Amino acid sequence: MPRTLSPAAAAAGRVLQVDAALPMFPLGSVLYPGMHLPLHVFEDRYRALVNDLLTEPDESRRRLGIVAIREGYELGNHGMQSAHRIGCEALLVANRAYADGRFDIAVVGRRRLRLEAMDTSGDYLVGDVTYLGEHAGIGVVAADEAARDAFERYRQALASQSGPELPDDELPTNPQELSYVLAATASLTLRERQQLLEAPDTAERLRLVTVMIGDELTAMRAVPSLPATDLARTAWSPN
């Protein structure tokens, strides 16, 4: 059920409804729905965050929000200065605790969110968020076909240059899932990945990633000795 904003946000004059208050984990990367992400947790604030999540007996409620950092850093004295407002709700699906308090955890993206307000007064950041719907958009079938073709040409180009190998597994048949898999797999900048996360619908996301893959192919042809940067294989999950 929607809830009102936190007292801090309400005091700032915000009157809209929000869907949840989530512990927030700003990162120097973008998480998409369906994507798995491993994290090594060693800073005190994120140790506290994970410890609190693990006190939740219902594993399906061990949720957190992940947003990409716009200015600042994940670590250090200066830390994050600002974050992108569009991020992704994540579910904690695995954890390993160390004697010194560190954790290795794995999360999987669930659904996009918009960060409405941030509470910085506690042991870790807590965000008031609203969830964003998913829409097919106009021309999604044609966009799906074009994106698959571009990705196959991209994969073959990398293979021919002895560049980093892309997975040749069968791609998702669902256009929405495909749009996120391609966004996570292609060699893109953080700005480009964030742009894809913020796309208003699946068709637009597929068209954008097709253009971005085409730009990368053009760059590879212009400088054949400089293949795409290292690509991290990102596991996908429909859950």
Side-chain angles (χ1 to χ4, degrees):
M1 294 291 293
R3 55 181 289 280
T4 57
L5 286 174
S6 64
R14 307 298 296 275
V15 295
L16 59 116
Q17 293 278 318
V18 299
D19 294 319
L22 294 178
M24 301 301 296
F25 203 132
L27 290 174
S29 58
V30 176
L31 178 67
Y32 297 110
M35 301 296 115
H36 282 272
L37 179 66
L39 295 168
H40 180 61
V41 179
F42 60 92
E43 279 202 288
D44 289 344
R45 55 183 169 174
Y46 298 126
R47 293 187 193 188
L49 186 159
V50 173
N51 275 311
D52 280 0
L53 285 179
L54 293 177
T55 64
E56 170 57 61
D58 183 350
E59 294 182 359
S60 68
R61 296 178 61 85
R62 294 177 179 176
R63 301 173 299 149
L64 64 154
I66 291 182
V67 289
I69 296 171
R70 186 194 300 270
E71 294 179 287
Y73 306 93
E74 292 183 16
L75 309 172
N77 295 328
H78 297 290
M80 181 194 70
Q81 304 301 313
S82 67
H84 289 278
R85 289 187 62 193
I86 306 301
C88 188
E89 181 190 65
L91 180 68
L92 177 66
V93 294
N95 73 92
R96 177 184 179 185
Y98 294 91
D100 62 2
R102 294 176 297 123
F103 290 94
D104 283 330
I105 66 172
V107 303
V108 61
R110 296 186 68 224
R111 50 185 168 173
R112 294 186 305 153
L113 60 80
R114 179 170 57 243
L115 180 61
E116 306 291 358
M118 189 90 86
D119 183 354
T120 62
S121 63
D123 292 336
Y124 49 81
L125 301 172
V126 175
D128 286 310
V129 307
T130 53
Y131 295 116
L132 303 178
E134 297 286 353
H135 309 284
I138 298 173
V140 69
V141 174
D144 180 287
E145 294 174 351
R148 290 177 191 275
D149 178 68
F151 184 75
E152 179 58 24
R153 287 185 283 111
Y154 182 48
R155 191 180 65 79
Q156 292 179 3
L158 283 175
S160 69
Q161 293 188 8
S162 300
E165 292 186 3
L166 285 174
D168 57 2
D169 301 347
E170 183 176 347
L171 292 171
T173 57
N174 181 283
Q176 177 188 316
E177 295 166 359
L178 175 70
S179 73
Y180 287 127
V181 168
L182 297 188
T185 305
S187 179
L188 303 172
T189 65
L190 187 145
R191 180 179 180 181
E192 290 171 327
R193 294 187 191 281
Q194 183 67 30
Q195 184 182 2
L196 291 169
L197 183 67
E198 296 183 8
D201 54 54
T202 296
E204 181 63 16
R205 185 175 301 109
L206 288 168
R207 284 191 284 267
L208 282 171
V209 78
T210 299
V211 171
M212 292 172 184
I213 289 173
D215 290 344
E216 185 68 19
L217 280 167
T218 299
M220 290 165 63
R221 294 189 188 103
V223 189
S225 61
L226 185 64
T229 57
D230 289 343
L231 300 169
R233 178 167 180 164
T234 305
W236 170 80
S237 168
N239 299 315

PDB file of all heavy atoms in Angstrom, residues 117-136:
ATOM      1  N   ALA A 117      12.823  11.183  -2.011  1.00  0.00           N
ATOM      2  CA  ALA A 117      13.481  11.888  -0.907  1.00  0.00           C
ATOM      3  C   ALA A 117      14.456  10.931  -0.245  1.00  0.00           C
ATOM      4  O   ALA A 117      14.291   9.716  -0.318  1.00  0.00           O
ATOM      5  CB  ALA A 117      12.452  12.394   0.107  1.00  0.00           C
ATOM      6  N   MET A 118      15.467  11.502   0.406  1.00  0.00           N
ATOM      7  CA  MET A 118      16.495  10.691   1.057  1.00  0.00           C
ATOM      8  C   MET A 118      16.660  11.143   2.509  1.00  0.00           C
ATOM      9  O   MET A 118      16.806  12.335   2.783  1.00  0.00           O
ATOM     10  CB  MET A 118      17.828  10.821   0.318  1.00  0.00           C
ATOM     11  CG  MET A 118      18.891   9.858   0.801  1.00  0.00           C
ATOM     12  SD  MET A 118      18.857   8.302  -0.095  1.00  0.00           S
ATOM     13  CE  MET A 118      19.894   8.727  -1.518  1.00  0.00           C
ATOM     14  N   ASP A 119      16.634  10.175   3.409  1.00  0.00           N
ATOM     15  CA  ASP A 119      16.875  10.439   4.827  1.00  0.00           C
ATOM     16  C   ASP A 119      18.315  10.030   5.146  1.00  0.00           C
ATOM     17  O   ASP A 119      18.682   8.858   5.019  1.00  0.00           O
ATOM     18  CB  ASP A 119      15.888   9.628   5.669  1.00  0.00           C
ATOM     19  CG  ASP A 119      16.025   9.898   7.169  1.00  0.00           C
ATOM     20  OD1 ASP A 119      16.965  10.627   7.564  1.00  0.00           O
ATOM     21  OD2 ASP A 119      15.201   9.377   7.937  1.00  0.00           O
ATOM     22  N   THR A 120      19.121  10.994   5.558  1.00  0.00           N
ATOM     23  CA  THR A 120      20.542  10.738   5.829  1.00  0.00           C
ATOM     24  C   THR A 120      20.857  10.715   7.321  1.00  0.00           C
ATOM     25  O   THR A 120      22.024  10.702   7.707  1.00  0.00           O
ATOM     26  CB  THR A 120      21.407  11.818   5.152  1.00  0.00           C
ATOM     27  OG1 THR A 120      21.081  13.105   5.722  1.00  0.00           O
ATOM     28  CG2 THR A 120      21.159  11.865   3.655  1.00  0.00           C
ATOM     29  N   SER A 121      19.831  10.695   8.174  1.00  0.00           N
ATOM     30  CA  SER A 121      20.065  10.862   9.605  1.00  0.00           C
ATOM     31  C   SER A 121      20.433   9.571  10.329  1.00  0.00           C
ATOM     32  O   SER A 121      20.921   9.624  11.465  1.00  0.00           O
ATOM     33  CB  SER A 121      18.810  11.453  10.272  1.00  0.00           C
ATOM     34  OG  SER A 121      17.703  10.558  10.137  1.00  0.00           O
ATOM     35  N   GLY A 122      20.221   8.413   9.708  1.00  0.00           N
ATOM     36  CA  GLY A 122      20.456   7.149  10.387  1.00  0.00           C
ATOM     37  C   GLY A 122      21.812   6.547  10.104  1.00  0.00           C
ATOM     38  O   GLY A 122      22.723   7.210   9.607  1.00  0.00           O
ATOM     39  N   ASP A 123      21.932   5.272  10.431  1.00  0.00           N
ATOM     40  CA  ASP A 123      23.194   4.566  10.224  1.00  0.00           C
ATOM     41  C   ASP A 123      23.499   4.385   8.744  1.00  0.00           C
ATOM     42  O   ASP A 123      24.658   4.191   8.361  1.00  0.00           O
ATOM     43  CB  ASP A 123      23.155   3.195  10.903  1.00  0.00           C
ATOM     44  CG  ASP A 123      23.124   3.290  12.420  1.00  0.00           C
ATOM     45  OD1 ASP A 123      23.584   4.322  12.944  1.00  0.00           O
ATOM     46  OD2 ASP A 123      22.639   2.345  13.062  1.00  0.00           O
ATOM     47  N   TYR A 124      22.462   4.414   7.911  1.00  0.00           N
ATOM     48  CA  TYR A 124      22.621   4.306   6.458  1.00  0.00           C
ATOM     49  C   TYR A 124      21.492   5.082   5.797  1.00  0.00           C
ATOM     50  O   TYR A 124      20.523   5.492   6.457  1.00  0.00           O
ATOM     51  CB  TYR A 124      22.630   2.841   6.008  1.00  0.00           C
ATOM     52  CG  TYR A 124      21.494   2.010   6.575  1.00  0.00           C
ATOM     53  CD1 TYR A 124      20.222   2.044   6.016  1.00  0.00           C
ATOM     54  CD2 TYR A 124      21.711   1.186   7.671  1.00  0.00           C
ATOM     55  CE1 TYR A 124      19.187   1.293   6.548  1.00  0.00           C
ATOM     56  CE2 TYR A 124      20.686   0.427   8.207  1.00  0.00           C
ATOM     57  CZ  TYR A 124      19.421   0.482   7.639  1.00  0.00           C
ATOM     58  OH  TYR A 124      18.395  -0.259   8.162  1.00  0.00           O
ATOM     59  N   LEU A 125      21.606   5.297   4.512  1.00  0.00           N
ATOM     60  CA  LEU A 125      20.623   6.083   3.777  1.00  0.00           C
ATOM     61  C   LEU A 125      19.315   5.313   3.637  1.00  0.00           C
ATOM     62  O   LEU A 125      19.307   4.107   3.407  1.00  0.00           O
ATOM     63  CB  LEU A 125      21.159   6.425   2.385  1.00  0.00           C
ATOM     64  CG  LEU A 125      22.478   7.211   2.333  1.00  0.00           C
ATOM     65  CD1 LEU A 125      22.983   7.293   0.899  1.00  0.00           C
ATOM     66  CD2 LEU A 125      22.301   8.594   2.920  1.00  0.00           C
ATOM     67  N   VAL A 126      18.205   6.034   3.757  1.00  0.00           N
ATOM     68  CA  VAL A 126      16.876   5.465   3.524  1.00  0.00           C
ATOM     69  C   VAL A 126      16.153   6.375   2.543  1.00  0.00           C
ATOM     70  O   VAL A 126      16.112   7.600   2.731  1.00  0.00           O
ATOM     71  CB  VAL A 126      16.074   5.334   4.829  1.00  0.00           C
ATOM     72  CG1 VAL A 126      14.654   4.847   4.542  1.00  0.00           C
ATOM     73  CG2 VAL A 126      16.772   4.381   5.798  1.00  0.00           C
ATOM     74  N   GLY A 127      15.608   5.785   1.499  1.00  0.00           N
ATOM     75  CA  GLY A 127      14.955   6.573   0.478  1.00  0.00           C
ATOM     76  C   GLY A 127      13.459   6.323   0.427  1.00  0.00           C
ATOM     77  O   GLY A 127      12.998   5.191   0.568  1.00  0.00           O
ATOM     78  N   ASP A 128      12.686   7.399   0.240  1.00  0.00           N
ATOM     79  CA  ASP A 128      11.272   7.278  -0.090  1.00  0.00           C
ATOM     80  C   ASP A 128      11.186   7.094  -1.597  1.00  0.00           C
ATOM     81  O   ASP A 128      11.697   7.930  -2.360  1.00  0.00           O
ATOM     82  CB  ASP A 128      10.514   8.538   0.319  1.00  0.00           C
ATOM     83  CG  ASP A 128      10.328   8.631   1.829  1.00  0.00           C
ATOM     84  OD1 ASP A 128       9.882   7.643   2.431  1.00  0.00           O
ATOM     85  OD2 ASP A 128      10.640   9.691   2.402  1.00  0.00           O
ATOM     86  N   VAL A 129      10.552   6.012  -2.051  1.00  0.00           N
ATOM     87  CA  VAL A 129      10.544   5.695  -3.474  1.00  0.00           C
ATOM     88  C   VAL A 129       9.136   5.439  -3.984  1.00  0.00           C
ATOM     89  O   VAL A 129       8.250   5.013  -3.229  1.00  0.00           O
ATOM     90  CB  VAL A 129      11.430   4.454  -3.780  1.00  0.00           C
ATOM     91  CG1 VAL A 129      12.833   4.640  -3.211  1.00  0.00           C
ATOM     92  CG2 VAL A 129      10.802   3.170  -3.240  1.00  0.00           C
ATOM     93  N   THR A 130       8.947   5.706  -5.265  1.00  0.00           N
ATOM     94  CA  THR A 130       7.760   5.269  -5.991  1.00  0.00           C
ATOM     95  C   THR A 130       8.229   4.319  -7.086  1.00  0.00           C
ATOM     96  O   THR A 130       9.332   4.468  -7.631  1.00  0.00           O
ATOM     97  CB  THR A 130       6.998   6.449  -6.616  1.00  0.00           C
ATOM     98  OG1 THR A 130       7.899   7.236  -7.410  1.00  0.00           O
ATOM     99  CG2 THR A 130       6.400   7.339  -5.547  1.00  0.00           C
ATOM    100  N   TYR A 131       7.410   3.335  -7.394  1.00  0.00           N
ATOM    101  CA  TYR A 131       7.770   2.344  -8.398  1.00  0.00           C
ATOM    102  C   TYR A 131       7.263   2.761  -9.765  1.00  0.00           C
ATOM    103  O   TYR A 131       6.175   3.337  -9.897  1.00  0.00           O
ATOM    104  CB  TYR A 131       7.213   0.973  -8.005  1.00  0.00           C
ATOM    105  CG  TYR A 131       7.833   0.436  -6.739  1.00  0.00           C
ATOM    106  CD1 TYR A 131       7.067   0.223  -5.594  1.00  0.00           C
ATOM    107  CD2 TYR A 131       9.196   0.170  -6.674  1.00  0.00           C
ATOM    108  CE1 TYR A 131       7.642  -0.259  -4.428  1.00  0.00           C
ATOM    109  CE2 TYR A 131       9.778  -0.302  -5.502  1.00  0.00           C
ATOM    110  CZ  TYR A 131       8.996  -0.517  -4.389  1.00  0.00           C
ATOM    111  OH  TYR A 131       9.579  -0.978  -3.235  1.00  0.00           O
ATOM    112  N   LEU A 132       8.059   2.466 -10.787  1.00  0.00           N
ATOM    113  CA  LEU A 132       7.735   2.838 -12.158  1.00  0.00           C
ATOM    114  C   LEU A 132       7.197   1.625 -12.912  1.00  0.00           C
ATOM    115  O   LEU A 132       7.756   0.536 -12.815  1.00  0.00           O
ATOM    116  CB  LEU A 132       8.982   3.381 -12.870  1.00  0.00           C
ATOM    117  CG  LEU A 132       9.660   4.573 -12.197  1.00  0.00           C
ATOM    118  CD1 LEU A 132      10.898   4.973 -12.980  1.00  0.00           C
ATOM    119  CD2 LEU A 132       8.708   5.744 -12.075  1.00  0.00           C
ATOM    120  N   GLY A 133       6.142   1.839 -13.661  1.00  0.00           N
ATOM    121  CA  GLY A 133       5.561   0.758 -14.446  1.00  0.00           C
ATOM    122  C   GLY A 133       6.396   0.452 -15.682  1.00  0.00           C
ATOM    123  O   GLY A 133       7.295   1.202 -16.062  1.00  0.00           O
ATOM    124  N   GLU A 134       6.091  -0.668 -16.302  1.00  0.00           N
ATOM    125  CA  GLU A 134       6.753  -1.077 -17.543  1.00  0.00           C
ATOM    126  C   GLU A 134       5.726  -1.099 -18.660  1.00  0.00           C
ATOM    127  O   GLU A 134       4.639  -1.685 -18.515  1.00  0.00           O
ATOM    128  CB  GLU A 134       7.384  -2.467 -17.383  1.00  0.00           C
ATOM    129  CG  GLU A 134       8.490  -2.547 -16.346  1.00  0.00           C
ATOM    130  CD  GLU A 134       9.792  -1.889 -16.809  1.00  0.00           C
ATOM    131  OE1 GLU A 134       9.874  -1.486 -17.990  1.00  0.00           O
ATOM    132  OE2 GLU A 134      10.719  -1.793 -15.980  1.00  0.00           O
ATOM    133  N   HIS A 135       6.055  -0.440 -19.763  1.00  0.00           N
ATOM    134  CA  HIS A 135       5.133  -0.344 -20.897  1.00  0.00           C
ATOM    135  C   HIS A 135       5.852  -0.789 -22.169  1.00  0.00           C
ATOM    136  O   HIS A 135       7.041  -0.514 -22.345  1.00  0.00           O
ATOM    137  CB  HIS A 135       4.624   1.089 -21.043  1.00  0.00           C
ATOM    138  CG  HIS A 135       4.073   1.651 -19.771  1.00  0.00           C
ATOM    139  ND1 HIS A 135       2.835   1.291 -19.275  1.00  0.00           N
ATOM    140  CD2 HIS A 135       4.604   2.523 -18.866  1.00  0.00           C
ATOM    141  CE1 HIS A 135       2.611   1.922 -18.130  1.00  0.00           C
ATOM    142  NE2 HIS A 135       3.676   2.685 -17.868  1.00  0.00           N
ATOM    143  N   ALA A 136       5.119  -1.451 -23.036  1.00  0.00           N
ATOM    144  CA  ALA A 136       5.727  -1.966 -24.270  1.00  0.00           C
ATOM    145  C   ALA A 136       6.152  -0.840 -25.196  1.00  0.00           C
ATOM    146  O   ALA A 136       7.242  -0.866 -25.767  1.00  0.00           O
ATOM    147  CB  ALA A 136       4.762  -2.904 -24.979  1.00  0.00           C
TER     148      ALA A 136
END
